[in-house]
Amino acid sequence: MLFLSGITSTVTAQTPLHQQIDQLIAEGKPQFEKQAAPLADDATFLRRVTLDLTGTIPTADEVRTFVADSSPDKRSQRIDQLLASPEHARRLQYLFDTMLMERRPGKYVKTAEWEEYLRQSFLENRPWDELVHEILTVDGTDKTTRPAARFLLDRELKSEVVTRDLGRIFLGRDLQCAQCHDHPNVNDYLQRHYHGLDAFLSRSYLFKDPKTKQASIGEKAEGQVSFTSVFTKEEGMTAPRVLDLPEIPDPADAKKAYKVKPAKNVRSVPVYSRRLQLADALTSQNNGAFQKNIVNRLWAMMMGQGLVEPLDMWHSDNPPTHPKIVSLLSEELANHEFNLRYVIRELALTQTYQRSSHVSAETEIPERSAYQMGLLKPLTPEQLAWSMMQATGVTSATLERLQTKQRKVDEKQKTKKADDTLWQEEALHGALKGNVAAFVRTFGIVGAQTTRFDASADQALFLLNGNTIQAWLAPSGNQLTARLKKLDQPTAIAEELYLSVFSRFPTEKEIKQVALFLEGGPKPTDQDLQQLIWAALSSDEFRFNH
């Protein structure tokens, strides 16, 4: 039996992880349930979890079906369905691409190949430590594993870039200011930490094959890392190390330095590679920072902010708001072989995740870090693109067209691809990825991740005058404008609009507002309906996951 001190009720090893998390969130707060927001209603929950797990909003029919379902376990069933869907792998592809590459343009590895590598990895639910190990060990010479080398190759093995990003992205520590001296503001970040990480890769370099022009990673067998503080002039030297873990010395009895010796236009390969020690050291069970960093990032993905914020400023003066939860999640992640899907599922099952983003007027709005109510999360560019296409009916119309075409092929080839969910997701992505790219160009931010939300003039103009959005509002086929046009009553129009765009039924007040807007003629015009949909798509309610 496992006891966690101070928990309001006894927690046993058999207590599901999601229940343990909820108990730790409420720990030490006798008035927690009274002050906390209630669980979100079914429609809000469905929109939230569909966005978080698959990157788009549900369809109007999915909302109707889920709300009408009286099964007591329908939420857990829906979570499992979403996690098992091909769309979940695509959502994690987007998320981890942004985390690892921060929207850098492809330079030495084609972006599409890297994205496909990530998607396949998440379809197979590969363990996080295994994935990181591959990303940091491949050298780009093997065609089958070359996409995984993008993290290092597209940073051109530049020491100051790679070292900083290793610390930020895999350890939650931005060591940039520790390059020239101990960090002036963060006592925990020392110069030896920065240069200990640098020492893994300081012998590696970007090699360009003179014949094929292909870039790969070469490495030398010599070179030591030394440093001098620009402030104190104190000097130091370090072998590869991860933070305060022991240094990793080179083998003392090496009789041969190289498999391939350095020469002009030759990629040198040492017998002993410092670079190949990096992945083992980083993902080691002894390196708790690796585990804590990824669970903090998964928490931020689901809850709207990290237990440590900013995500890459983890130090003793900026500790986790809930250290027991960090320890619990890290331990469970390791116990479940770094299975990210397991952790995401448990987070989605918590009451903490499922709470409403509203509290009663009589209740004081709690601190964000208290997690007593759902936090608003601005949609990522990818979520916004797919959700707008879902709302306007572009997604369903495109899939229908693709399936019609594929069924003719299936009939000839005796296959059933048109009904296969994986084929459908891949075909849709192929047909609509240009639209997603347009949203990323307008709404994406190149560089370090941020949880801040800033709307720009370009974004407003894209929504206001952009040809893309205007085309989606055209009353063609079975798209939303065409569906609304077939309805006679304002009540029916309001219901279909709200279910399609906001994933919920309208209130009586909202139905009256729609009726008031449409009155004045015997039948709404196309322009009336398009303005109605555009206003809904441009609203705060649509722009955020709540």
Side-chain angles (χ1 to χ4, degrees):
M1 183 175 291
L2 169 69
F3 290 97
L4 298 175
S5 61
I7 299 180
T8 51
S9 60
T10 302
V11 172
T12 72
Q14 288 74 40
T15 303
L17 176 58
H18 59 275
Q19 292 180 14
Q20 295 184 52
I21 293 169
D22 286 331
Q23 289 170 346
L24 288 170
I25 286 290
E27 183 181 24
K29 299 185 181 81
Q31 300 297 313
F32 183 86
E33 282 302 329
K34 185 178 178 182
Q35 296 170 341
L39 294 186
D41 60 70
D42 284 340
T44 301
F45 165 78
L46 182 65
R47 183 181 190 271
R48 182 185 299 174
V49 77
T50 306
L51 273 165
D52 281 332
L53 300 188
T54 63
T56 188
I57 59 172
T59 65
D61 287 344
E62 286 173 333
V63 179
R64 287 189 179 97
T65 301
F66 189 77
V67 171
D69 187 350
S70 59
S71 305
D73 60 345
K74 66 179 181 181
R75 292 196 179 193
S76 62
Q77 284 187 33
R78 191 60 181 163
I79 290 169
D80 289 338
Q81 290 165 3
L82 295 171
L83 288 172
S85 70
E87 287 79 6
H88 178 60
R90 185 75 68 185
R91 161 72 170 145
L92 292 190
Q93 170 213 305
Y94 289 140
L95 190 80
F96 279 80
D97 175 36
T98 305
M99 182 182 97
L100 293 168
M101 299 310 300
E102 300 179 330
R103 304 199 186 280
R104 282 179 168 79
K107 189 164 187 178
Y108 297 108
V109 175
K110 293 178 180 176
T111 302
E113 293 179 0
W114 159 255
E115 292 172 347
E116 180 59 13
Y117 163 74
L118 288 178
R119 188 181 72 94
Q120 285 295 335
S121 296
F122 291 120
L123 272 175
E124 298 165 12
N125 195 26
R126 294 181 64 186
W128 174 238
D129 60 340
E130 178 185 302
L131 191 58
V132 172
H133 199 279
E134 185 166 75
I135 287 171
L136 297 179
T137 53
V138 296
D139 59 19
T141 57
D142 184 342
K143 185 179 178 182
T144 59
T145 60
R146 181 173 172 78
R150 189 177 176 224
F151 180 86
L152 292 175
L153 285 179
D154 278 3
R155 286 175 169 83
E156 299 183 295
L157 278 295
K158 290 181 178 176
S159 173
E160 69 278 10
V161 177
V162 175
T163 303
R164 183 189 183 197
D165 287 351
L166 286 174
R168 289 176 48 244
I169 295 170
F170 296 113
L171 299 173
R173 286 156 173 81
D174 188 347
L175 301 171
Q176 183 184 31
C177 284
Q179 180 179 1
C180 304
H181 45 72
D182 292 346
H183 199 293
N185 300 320
V186 181
N187 293 332
D188 295 355
Y189 294 178
L190 305 180
Q191 203 172 3
R192 70 167 185 267
H193 295 155
Y194 178 93
H195 290 281
L197 284 178
D198 179 43
F200 284 104
L201 294 166
S202 61
R203 296 175 178 176
S204 297
Y205 62 92
L206 191 73
F207 172 78
K208 295 180 183 176
D209 188 299
K211 293 182 180 177
T212 65
K213 309 300 180 187
Q214 180 172 280
S216 59
I217 300 173
E219 187 174 353
K220 297 177 182 176
E222 311 84 17
Q224 303 300 329
V225 170
S226 59
F227 51 91
T228 303
S229 170
V230 297
F231 291 153
T232 66
K233 307 304 178 186
E234 184 180 354
E235 297 180 345
M237 179 176 284
T238 183
R241 67 186 302 172
V242 175
L243 302 178
D244 286 321
L245 291 176
E247 294 182 47
I248 303 172
D250 293 348
D253 56 348
K255 297 178 181 177
K256 184 179 175 185
Y258 284 98
K259 295 177 183 176
V260 180
K261 292 183 179 179
K264 185 179 179 182
N265 295 331
V266 172
R267 188 181 73 91
S268 58
V269 181
V271 172
Y272 173 77
S273 167
R274 280 190 171 186
R275 182 177 64 83
L276 293 184
Q277 313 310 310
L278 172 61
D280 284 342
L282 210 59
T283 61
S284 164
Q285 290 281 357
N286 296 325
N287 180 25
F290 176 75
Q291 299 152 23
K292 291 175 181 177
N293 172 67
I294 189 61
V295 299
N296 189 46
R297 288 176 179 273
L298 293 180
W299 181 277
M301 162 194 162
M302 297 297 286
M303 304 299 181
Q305 69 174 22
L307 294 162
V308 170
E309 282 283 348
L311 300 179
D312 56 5
M313 285 304 286
W314 193 310
H315 54 85
S316 56
D317 292 330
N318 185 37
T321 56
H322 297 76
K324 291 179 182 176
I325 292 179
V326 171
S327 298
L328 177 65
L329 285 172
S330 301
E331 184 179 331
E332 286 296 294
L333 178 68
N335 290 342
H336 288 79
E337 299 178 335
F338 289 85
N339 184 341
L340 301 185
R341 193 177 295 174
Y342 164 76
V343 174
I344 293 170
R345 179 180 188 273
E346 290 297 317
L347 293 179
L349 287 170
T350 62
Q351 291 187 353
T352 305
Y353 174 77
Q354 296 186 22
R355 289 196 185 281
S356 172
S357 57
H358 297 277
V359 292
S360 67
E362 297 76 30
T363 305
E364 186 178 348
I365 296 178
E367 294 287 334
R368 288 173 60 86
S369 59
Y371 297 104
Q372 289 176 294
M373 62 185 294
L375 301 182
L376 301 184
K377 294 172 281 190
L379 303 190
T380 65
E382 294 87 355
Q383 285 176 316
L384 186 60
W386 284 107
S387 295
M388 281 202 171
M389 290 190 286
Q390 184 83 289
T392 53
V394 170
T395 303
S396 57
T398 304
L399 179 60
E400 186 177 343
R401 190 180 70 249
L402 291 167
Q403 284 181 298
T404 300
K405 187 176 179 181
Q406 180 60 36
R407 284 202 170 92
K408 294 177 182 176
V409 178
D410 285 345
E411 190 174 336
K412 290 180 181 177
Q413 299 181 349
K414 308 297 181 188
T415 55
K416 294 183 178 179
K417 285 185 177 179
D419 297 321
D420 180 77
T421 55
L422 180 58
W423 177 88
Q424 291 172 11
E425 195 283 331
E426 291 174 344
L428 258 181
H429 178 263
L432 300 176
K433 62 183 179 184
N435 293 336
V436 179
F439 274 71
V440 170
R441 283 194 297 273
T442 306
F443 295 89
I445 299 173
V446 177
Q449 284 179 278
T450 176
T451 52
R452 286 176 50 195
F453 174 71
D454 293 310
S456 70
D458 286 346
Q459 294 169 6
L461 290 172
F462 180 87
L463 296 177
L464 186 63
N465 299 323
N467 294 332
T468 302
I469 306 298
Q470 296 304 318
W472 294 350
L473 298 179
S476 64
N478 198 35
Q479 292 184 198
L480 180 56
T481 306
R483 296 206 306 275
L484 297 184
K485 195 175 176 180
K486 295 175 185 174
L487 301 173
D488 295 326
Q489 298 301 317
T491 300
I493 292 174
E495 179 176 307
E496 185 66 20
L497 172 70
Y498 272 72
L499 284 170
S500 299
V501 177
F502 297 129
S503 308
R504 66 174 175 84
F505 288 93
T507 64
E508 288 298 322
K509 181 180 179 183
E510 289 162 342
I511 292 172
K512 288 179 182 176
Q513 287 174 333
V514 170
L516 189 63
F517 176 79
L518 296 177
E519 74 179 7
K523 194 171 179 60
T525 65
D526 289 354
Q527 189 176 16
D528 290 338
L529 297 172
Q530 288 169 332
Q531 286 183 356
L532 204 56
I533 299 170
W534 180 86
L537 292 174
S538 302
S539 67
D540 291 344
E541 181 174 346
F542 186 79
R543 186 68 181 84
F544 285 82
N545 192 3
H546 45 79

